[in-house]
Amino acid sequence: MSDESFGEVLRQLMDEREIGVRALARQVPIDPSHISKLRLGHKGTSVATAARLDEILGGGGRLVALVQTTAEVTGPRRAVGDIGDNEDVKRRTLLGLMATAGLASSLARDAEPLRDAIEAAVAADADDRDADTWERVAYDYAHEVGFSPAVLLQPELAADFVELTRLVQSAGGTARSRLIHVAAQMAALIAINLTNLGEGRSARRWWRTAARAADQTGDHIVAARIRGRAALISLYTETPRLSVVKAAEEAIEIGRGAPEGIVSAHAAKAQALAELGRHDESADALEDLYGVFESLPETTRTERGNWGWSDGRLHFVTSLVHTCAGDIKPAMDAQEAALAICSDRSWKFRGQIEMHRAGVLIRAGEVDEGARHMTRILETLPPEQRGDGLLQGSAIASLKLAAPVHGGRPSIRQARELLASIGD
């Protein structure tokens, strides 16, 4: 008999299919925290749920077999303490309601009061096991924000942040520090998701919360990373570019030279200076970014979530800096390099690079072709992607590269009207 545990096999199957906790939970459907606990071996599950997981992940019955084997070894489970007839009826009624709610994701919100009641009934001080679970939840969100529809993620992020807040209040020692670190990440991801939704002003408040939580960890790398990422994402809002430069420089100072803490800040500074037209300073900032990038730990360079910093991100910043400066060939080379390594899943990254391509054509004097390229790309995207805040921010930045005399051209007007209609 294999020594594999249910959690080990589940993790393996999810990694092979490149599916995160929340994406899997939505397909079952089931509460994401249940999936997280199953992965960590902190929870058992039913044969029916195991069968559904096998079906989604192509497990070939492995998960069902492990559940059945565990049931044979441990026997029927008993509740702790004596349960009277009335309490047993209540328990079975509650479980029945939860099972019914699990039949359709549209009923998930209706089941939340039931889950809250259970959480209150079994409440205990948060410990390192809770921190393990929530670190995984934050990791999964970091791989979903920017890829999954922002409008669907926002209520889930908010609900989980409320639950996390309760745990932080009851935690102590290392568990508290770890959970506050998770809270900083979660607040930042909410800010990013709000920016994706075009809610830049609300995002600013969440960035402040993220920065305060990061400071509470006492880790200068975390504090710098959060602030650097905030500066970078604020480029897709109406934040004045001089404010972005100042915020980026503050993050660089806080980071004390730690590459993984300051890389986003250097990227934000280079791009903000480029949009301000301070091209010599922007080129210097880009050179600084390359130096920091070369010093990044391999784990940071290969991480594909929101906290990683890949070659693609470097090509992106290079493309933007050269596009704004009118350096046509280096800009296009960077764009080709970025598109060459872009996965099919990265629709937003690809779309933003195409917005850069429109911008470099406009900057090269091919105003109509650049504007038409932008319109063609936007029209191929489904509405929920076209309305993404980061994609729109890249489009607007490229349109600003058109000289004022060209602002009334039909092609420019058409692109602007398309962006405005998406915003509405």
Side-chain angles (χ1 to χ4, degrees), residues 52-80:
R52 177 62 177 152
L53 291 169
D54 266 328
E55 177 187 354
I56 296 167
L57 299 171
R62 292 168 67 190
L63 295 173
V64 168
L66 286 166
V67 167
Q68 291 173 333
T69 301
T70 302
E72 291 169 4
V73 171
T74 61
R77 305 182 72 173
R78 294 180 178 271
V80 177

PDB file of all heavy atoms in Angstrom, residues 52-80:
ATOM      1  N   ARG A  52     -15.488  13.953  -6.465  1.00  0.00           N
ATOM      2  CA  ARG A  52     -15.589  15.170  -7.267  1.00  0.00           C
ATOM      3  C   ARG A  52     -14.199  15.745  -7.544  1.00  0.00           C
ATOM      4  O   ARG A  52     -13.906  16.176  -8.663  1.00  0.00           O
ATOM      5  CB  ARG A  52     -16.456  16.192  -6.535  1.00  0.00           C
ATOM      6  CG  ARG A  52     -16.586  17.551  -7.227  1.00  0.00           C
ATOM      7  CD  ARG A  52     -17.229  17.447  -8.579  1.00  0.00           C
ATOM      8  NE  ARG A  52     -17.404  18.768  -9.162  1.00  0.00           N
ATOM      9  CZ  ARG A  52     -17.424  19.015 -10.458  1.00  0.00           C
ATOM     10  NH1 ARG A  52     -17.288  18.012 -11.330  1.00  0.00           N
ATOM     11  NH2 ARG A  52     -17.586  20.245 -10.909  1.00  0.00           N
ATOM     12  N   LEU A  53     -13.320  15.715  -6.540  1.00  0.00           N
ATOM     13  CA  LEU A  53     -11.950  16.198  -6.727  1.00  0.00           C
ATOM     14  C   LEU A  53     -11.203  15.328  -7.730  1.00  0.00           C
ATOM     15  O   LEU A  53     -10.454  15.835  -8.579  1.00  0.00           O
ATOM     16  CB  LEU A  53     -11.216  16.224  -5.382  1.00  0.00           C
ATOM     17  CG  LEU A  53     -11.705  17.277  -4.386  1.00  0.00           C
ATOM     18  CD1 LEU A  53     -11.094  17.032  -3.007  1.00  0.00           C
ATOM     19  CD2 LEU A  53     -11.359  18.680  -4.868  1.00  0.00           C
ATOM     20  N   ASP A  54     -11.391  14.004  -7.630  1.00  0.00           N
ATOM     21  CA  ASP A  54     -10.782  13.097  -8.607  1.00  0.00           C
ATOM     22  C   ASP A  54     -11.239  13.434 -10.025  1.00  0.00           C
ATOM     23  O   ASP A  54     -10.445  13.440 -10.974  1.00  0.00           O
ATOM     24  CB  ASP A  54     -11.163  11.644  -8.289  1.00  0.00           C
ATOM     25  CG  ASP A  54     -10.123  10.937  -7.422  1.00  0.00           C
ATOM     26  OD1 ASP A  54      -8.935  11.264  -7.554  1.00  0.00           O
ATOM     27  OD2 ASP A  54     -10.500  10.067  -6.630  1.00  0.00           O
ATOM     28  N   GLU A  55     -12.538  13.731 -10.162  1.00  0.00           N
ATOM     29  CA  GLU A  55     -13.101  14.039 -11.481  1.00  0.00           C
ATOM     30  C   GLU A  55     -12.482  15.313 -12.057  1.00  0.00           C
ATOM     31  O   GLU A  55     -12.092  15.352 -13.232  1.00  0.00           O
ATOM     32  CB  GLU A  55     -14.618  14.203 -11.346  1.00  0.00           C
ATOM     33  CG  GLU A  55     -15.318  14.590 -12.644  1.00  0.00           C
ATOM     34  CD  GLU A  55     -16.787  14.914 -12.435  1.00  0.00           C
ATOM     35  OE1 GLU A  55     -17.294  14.718 -11.298  1.00  0.00           O
ATOM     36  OE2 GLU A  55     -17.423  15.366 -13.399  1.00  0.00           O
ATOM     37  N   ILE A  56     -12.384  16.353 -11.237  1.00  0.00           N
ATOM     38  CA  ILE A  56     -11.858  17.641 -11.718  1.00  0.00           C
ATOM     39  C   ILE A  56     -10.373  17.552 -12.034  1.00  0.00           C
ATOM     40  O   ILE A  56      -9.893  18.074 -13.042  1.00  0.00           O
ATOM     41  CB  ILE A  56     -12.106  18.743 -10.665  1.00  0.00           C
ATOM     42  CG1 ILE A  56     -13.607  18.962 -10.471  1.00  0.00           C
ATOM     43  CG2 ILE A  56     -11.439  20.051 -11.076  1.00  0.00           C
ATOM     44  CD1 ILE A  56     -13.945  19.797  -9.247  1.00  0.00           C
ATOM     45  N   LEU A  57      -9.622  16.864 -11.157  1.00  0.00           N
ATOM     46  CA  LEU A  57      -8.157  16.838 -11.252  1.00  0.00           C
ATOM     47  C   LEU A  57      -7.623  15.654 -12.044  1.00  0.00           C
ATOM     48  O   LEU A  57      -6.415  15.547 -12.249  1.00  0.00           O
ATOM     49  CB  LEU A  57      -7.553  16.829  -9.848  1.00  0.00           C
ATOM     50  CG  LEU A  57      -7.878  18.053  -8.979  1.00  0.00           C
ATOM     51  CD1 LEU A  57      -7.403  17.824  -7.544  1.00  0.00           C
ATOM     52  CD2 LEU A  57      -7.232  19.308  -9.553  1.00  0.00           C
ATOM     53  N   GLY A  58      -8.517  14.768 -12.486  1.00  0.00           N
ATOM     54  CA  GLY A  58      -8.054  13.588 -13.215  1.00  0.00           C
ATOM     55  C   GLY A  58      -7.270  12.641 -12.334  1.00  0.00           C
ATOM     56  O   GLY A  58      -6.243  12.095 -12.759  1.00  0.00           O
ATOM     57  N   GLY A  59      -7.742  12.455 -11.115  1.00  0.00           N
ATOM     58  CA  GLY A  59      -7.005  11.635 -10.153  1.00  0.00           C
ATOM     59  C   GLY A  59      -7.139  10.140 -10.353  1.00  0.00           C
ATOM     60  O   GLY A  59      -6.447   9.360  -9.678  1.00  0.00           O
ATOM     61  N   GLY A  60      -8.038   9.713 -11.224  1.00  0.00           N
ATOM     62  CA  GLY A  60      -8.171   8.292 -11.489  1.00  0.00           C
ATOM     63  C   GLY A  60      -8.599   7.478 -10.282  1.00  0.00           C
ATOM     64  O   GLY A  60      -8.259   6.293 -10.171  1.00  0.00           O
ATOM     65  N   GLY A  61      -9.322   8.105  -9.357  1.00  0.00           N
ATOM     66  CA  GLY A  61      -9.804   7.385  -8.179  1.00  0.00           C
ATOM     67  C   GLY A  61      -8.831   7.326  -7.020  1.00  0.00           C
ATOM     68  O   GLY A  61      -9.126   6.721  -5.980  1.00  0.00           O
ATOM     69  N   ARG A  62      -7.676   7.972  -7.142  1.00  0.00           N
ATOM     70  CA  ARG A  62      -6.668   7.907  -6.067  1.00  0.00           C
ATOM     71  C   ARG A  62      -7.174   8.539  -4.783  1.00  0.00           C
ATOM     72  O   ARG A  62      -6.962   8.012  -3.691  1.00  0.00           O
ATOM     73  CB  ARG A  62      -5.377   8.610  -6.519  1.00  0.00           C
ATOM     74  CG  ARG A  62      -4.633   7.897  -7.632  1.00  0.00           C
ATOM     75  CD  ARG A  62      -3.560   8.781  -8.224  1.00  0.00           C
ATOM     76  NE  ARG A  62      -2.494   9.033  -7.252  1.00  0.00           N
ATOM     77  CZ  ARG A  62      -1.523   9.934  -7.458  1.00  0.00           C
ATOM     78  NH1 ARG A  62      -1.530  10.678  -8.556  1.00  0.00           N
ATOM     79  NH2 ARG A  62      -0.583  10.106  -6.551  1.00  0.00           N
ATOM     80  N   LEU A  63      -7.852   9.686  -4.913  1.00  0.00           N
ATOM     81  CA  LEU A  63      -8.317  10.383  -3.721  1.00  0.00           C
ATOM     82  C   LEU A  63      -9.438   9.606  -3.025  1.00  0.00           C
ATOM     83  O   LEU A  63      -9.474   9.525  -1.799  1.00  0.00           O
ATOM     84  CB  LEU A  63      -8.778  11.793  -4.090  1.00  0.00           C
ATOM     85  CG  LEU A  63      -7.674  12.736  -4.607  1.00  0.00           C
ATOM     86  CD1 LEU A  63      -8.265  14.044  -5.108  1.00  0.00           C
ATOM     87  CD2 LEU A  63      -6.645  12.994  -3.527  1.00  0.00           C
ATOM     88  N   VAL A  64     -10.338   9.034  -3.809  1.00  0.00           N
ATOM     89  CA  VAL A  64     -11.408   8.220  -3.224  1.00  0.00           C
ATOM     90  C   VAL A  64     -10.812   7.039  -2.464  1.00  0.00           C
ATOM     91  O   VAL A  64     -11.221   6.720  -1.342  1.00  0.00           O
ATOM     92  CB  VAL A  64     -12.375   7.726  -4.313  1.00  0.00           C
ATOM     93  CG1 VAL A  64     -13.309   6.650  -3.751  1.00  0.00           C
ATOM     94  CG2 VAL A  64     -13.200   8.882  -4.854  1.00  0.00           C
ATOM     95  N   ALA A  65      -9.818   6.382  -3.070  1.00  0.00           N
ATOM     96  CA  ALA A  65      -9.197   5.225  -2.431  1.00  0.00           C
ATOM     97  C   ALA A  65      -8.553   5.605  -1.104  1.00  0.00           C
ATOM     98  O   ALA A  65      -8.642   4.862  -0.121  1.00  0.00           O
ATOM     99  CB  ALA A  65      -8.150   4.611  -3.369  1.00  0.00           C
ATOM    100  N   LEU A  66      -7.926   6.777  -1.052  1.00  0.00           N
ATOM    101  CA  LEU A  66      -7.274   7.220   0.177  1.00  0.00           C
ATOM    102  C   LEU A  66      -8.305   7.533   1.261  1.00  0.00           C
ATOM    103  O   LEU A  66      -8.090   7.234   2.435  1.00  0.00           O
ATOM    104  CB  LEU A  66      -6.396   8.443  -0.096  1.00  0.00           C
ATOM    105  CG  LEU A  66      -5.093   8.148  -0.849  1.00  0.00           C
ATOM    106  CD1 LEU A  66      -4.456   9.427  -1.366  1.00  0.00           C
ATOM    107  CD2 LEU A  66      -4.113   7.408   0.068  1.00  0.00           C
ATOM    108  N   VAL A  67      -9.433   8.135   0.874  1.00  0.00           N
ATOM    109  CA  VAL A  67     -10.492   8.409   1.852  1.00  0.00           C
ATOM    110  C   VAL A  67     -11.059   7.108   2.401  1.00  0.00           C
ATOM    111  O   VAL A  67     -11.263   6.951   3.609  1.00  0.00           O
ATOM    112  CB  VAL A  67     -11.620   9.257   1.213  1.00  0.00           C
ATOM    113  CG1 VAL A  67     -12.853   9.277   2.111  1.00  0.00           C
ATOM    114  CG2 VAL A  67     -11.139  10.678   0.992  1.00  0.00           C
ATOM    115  N   GLN A  68     -11.302   6.140   1.536  1.00  0.00           N
ATOM    116  CA  GLN A  68     -11.868   4.857   1.971  1.00  0.00           C
ATOM    117  C   GLN A  68     -10.910   4.097   2.863  1.00  0.00           C
ATOM    118  O   GLN A  68     -11.305   3.486   3.858  1.00  0.00           O
ATOM    119  CB  GLN A  68     -12.245   4.027   0.749  1.00  0.00           C
ATOM    120  CG  GLN A  68     -13.431   4.594  -0.021  1.00  0.00           C
ATOM    121  CD  GLN A  68     -13.691   3.863  -1.321  1.00  0.00           C
ATOM    122  OE1 GLN A  68     -12.777   3.289  -1.915  1.00  0.00           O
ATOM    123  NE2 GLN A  68     -14.942   3.889  -1.773  1.00  0.00           N
ATOM    124  N   THR A  69      -9.610   4.170   2.521  1.00  0.00           N
ATOM    125  CA  THR A  69      -8.598   3.500   3.349  1.00  0.00           C
ATOM    126  C   THR A  69      -8.530   4.114   4.730  1.00  0.00           C
ATOM    127  O   THR A  69      -8.476   3.421   5.747  1.00  0.00           O
ATOM    128  CB  THR A  69      -7.215   3.586   2.671  1.00  0.00           C
ATOM    129  OG1 THR A  69      -7.289   2.969   1.398  1.00  0.00           O
ATOM    130  CG2 THR A  69      -6.160   2.900   3.514  1.00  0.00           C
ATOM    131  N   THR A  70      -8.587   5.447   4.786  1.00  0.00           N
ATOM    132  CA  THR A  70      -8.548   6.148   6.073  1.00  0.00           C
ATOM    133  C   THR A  70      -9.756   5.797   6.919  1.00  0.00           C
ATOM    134  O   THR A  70      -9.663   5.572   8.130  1.00  0.00           O
ATOM    135  CB  THR A  70      -8.497   7.669   5.857  1.00  0.00           C
ATOM    136  OG1 THR A  70      -7.355   7.981   5.067  1.00  0.00           O
ATOM    137  CG2 THR A  70      -8.424   8.414   7.172  1.00  0.00           C
ATOM    138  N   ALA A  71     -10.933   5.698   6.283  1.00  0.00           N
ATOM    139  CA  ALA A  71     -12.150   5.364   7.020  1.00  0.00           C
ATOM    140  C   ALA A  71     -12.072   3.956   7.601  1.00  0.00           C
ATOM    141  O   ALA A  71     -12.506   3.695   8.724  1.00  0.00           O
ATOM    142  CB  ALA A  71     -13.356   5.480   6.097  1.00  0.00           C
ATOM    143  N   GLU A  72     -11.481   3.009   6.837  1.00  0.00           N
ATOM    144  CA  GLU A  72     -11.355   1.640   7.319  1.00  0.00           C
ATOM    145  C   GLU A  72     -10.425   1.552   8.515  1.00  0.00           C
ATOM    146  O   GLU A  72     -10.637   0.776   9.450  1.00  0.00           O
ATOM    147  CB  GLU A  72     -10.831   0.743   6.192  1.00  0.00           C
ATOM    148  CG  GLU A  72     -11.851   0.550   5.070  1.00  0.00           C
ATOM    149  CD  GLU A  72     -11.223  -0.106   3.852  1.00  0.00           C
ATOM    150  OE1 GLU A  72     -10.018  -0.464   3.941  1.00  0.00           O
ATOM    151  OE2 GLU A  72     -11.906  -0.265   2.829  1.00  0.00           O
ATOM    152  N   VAL A  73      -9.347   2.363   8.500  1.00  0.00           N
ATOM    153  CA  VAL A  73      -8.355   2.315   9.572  1.00  0.00           C
ATOM    154  C   VAL A  73      -8.863   2.965  10.841  1.00  0.00           C
ATOM    155  O   VAL A  73      -8.707   2.464  11.949  1.00  0.00           O
ATOM    156  CB  VAL A  73      -7.041   3.001   9.115  1.00  0.00           C
ATOM    157  CG1 VAL A  73      -6.083   3.148  10.279  1.00  0.00           C
ATOM    158  CG2 VAL A  73      -6.403   2.197   7.996  1.00  0.00           C
ATOM    159  N   THR A  74      -9.520   4.111  10.704  1.00  0.00           N
ATOM    160  CA  THR A  74      -9.914   4.896  11.884  1.00  0.00           C
ATOM    161  C   THR A  74     -11.290   4.531  12.407  1.00  0.00           C
ATOM    162  O   THR A  74     -11.588   4.766  13.573  1.00  0.00           O
ATOM    163  CB  THR A  74      -9.899   6.406  11.557  1.00  0.00           C
ATOM    164  OG1 THR A  74     -10.842   6.646  10.511  1.00  0.00           O
ATOM    165  CG2 THR A  74      -8.528   6.845  11.102  1.00  0.00           C
ATOM    166  N   GLY A  75     -12.153   3.948  11.558  1.00  0.00           N
ATOM    167  CA  GLY A  75     -13.506   3.627  11.982  1.00  0.00           C
ATOM    168  C   GLY A  75     -14.358   4.867  12.051  1.00  0.00           C
ATOM    169  O   GLY A  75     -13.914   5.975  11.739  1.00  0.00           O
ATOM    170  N   PRO A  76     -15.621   4.724  12.454  1.00  0.00           N
ATOM    171  CA  PRO A  76     -16.530   5.872  12.525  1.00  0.00           C
ATOM    172  C   PRO A  76     -16.059   6.883  13.554  1.00  0.00           C
ATOM    173  O   PRO A  76     -15.526   6.509  14.586  1.00  0.00           O
ATOM    174  CB  PRO A  76     -17.874   5.244  12.917  1.00  0.00           C
ATOM    175  CG  PRO A  76     -17.515   3.936  13.558  1.00  0.00           C
ATOM    176  CD  PRO A  76     -16.270   3.464  12.873  1.00  0.00           C
ATOM    177  N   ARG A  77     -16.235   8.156  13.236  1.00  0.00           N
ATOM    178  CA  ARG A  77     -15.768   9.236  14.111  1.00  0.00           C
ATOM    179  C   ARG A  77     -16.869   9.601  15.075  1.00  0.00           C
ATOM    180  O   ARG A  77     -18.044   9.668  14.734  1.00  0.00           O
ATOM    181  CB  ARG A  77     -15.371  10.453  13.272  1.00  0.00           C
ATOM    182  CG  ARG A  77     -14.331  10.087  12.214  1.00  0.00           C
ATOM    183  CD  ARG A  77     -13.915  11.287  11.442  1.00  0.00           C
ATOM    184  NE  ARG A  77     -13.090  12.157  12.251  1.00  0.00           N
ATOM    185  CZ  ARG A  77     -12.479  13.226  11.752  1.00  0.00           C
ATOM    186  NH1 ARG A  77     -12.604  13.537  10.513  1.00  0.00           N
ATOM    187  NH2 ARG A  77     -11.747  13.989  12.537  1.00  0.00           N
ATOM    188  N   ARG A  78     -16.477   9.873  16.326  1.00  0.00           N
ATOM    189  CA  ARG A  78     -17.440  10.261  17.353  1.00  0.00           C
ATOM    190  C   ARG A  78     -17.243  11.729  17.711  1.00  0.00           C
ATOM    191  O   ARG A  78     -16.131  12.224  17.740  1.00  0.00           O
ATOM    192  CB  ARG A  78     -17.240   9.421  18.630  1.00  0.00           C
ATOM    193  CG  ARG A  78     -17.555   7.944  18.415  1.00  0.00           C
ATOM    194  CD  ARG A  78     -17.346   7.167  19.707  1.00  0.00           C
ATOM    195  NE  ARG A  78     -17.675   5.775  19.525  1.00  0.00           N
ATOM    196  CZ  ARG A  78     -18.886   5.275  19.700  1.00  0.00           C
ATOM    197  NH1 ARG A  78     -19.877   6.074  20.033  1.00  0.00           N
ATOM    198  NH2 ARG A  78     -19.109   3.991  19.529  1.00  0.00           N
ATOM    199  N   ALA A  79     -18.326  12.388  18.026  1.00  0.00           N
ATOM    200  CA  ALA A  79     -18.233  13.776  18.470  1.00  0.00           C
ATOM    201  C   ALA A  79     -17.682  13.818  19.874  1.00  0.00           C
ATOM    202  O   ALA A  79     -17.831  12.874  20.644  1.00  0.00           O
ATOM    203  CB  ALA A  79     -19.613  14.435  18.437  1.00  0.00           C
ATOM    204  N   VAL A  80     -17.002  14.916  20.210  1.00  0.00           N
ATOM    205  CA  VAL A  80     -16.458  15.082  21.547  1.00  0.00           C
ATOM    206  C   VAL A  80     -17.586  15.455  22.496  1.00  0.00           C
ATOM    207  O   VAL A  80     -18.340  16.399  22.246  1.00  0.00           O
ATOM    208  CB  VAL A  80     -15.378  16.178  21.560  1.00  0.00           C
ATOM    209  CG1 VAL A  80     -14.874  16.386  22.970  1.00  0.00           C
ATOM    210  CG2 VAL A  80     -14.234  15.786  20.636  1.00  0.00           C
TER     211      VAL A  80
END
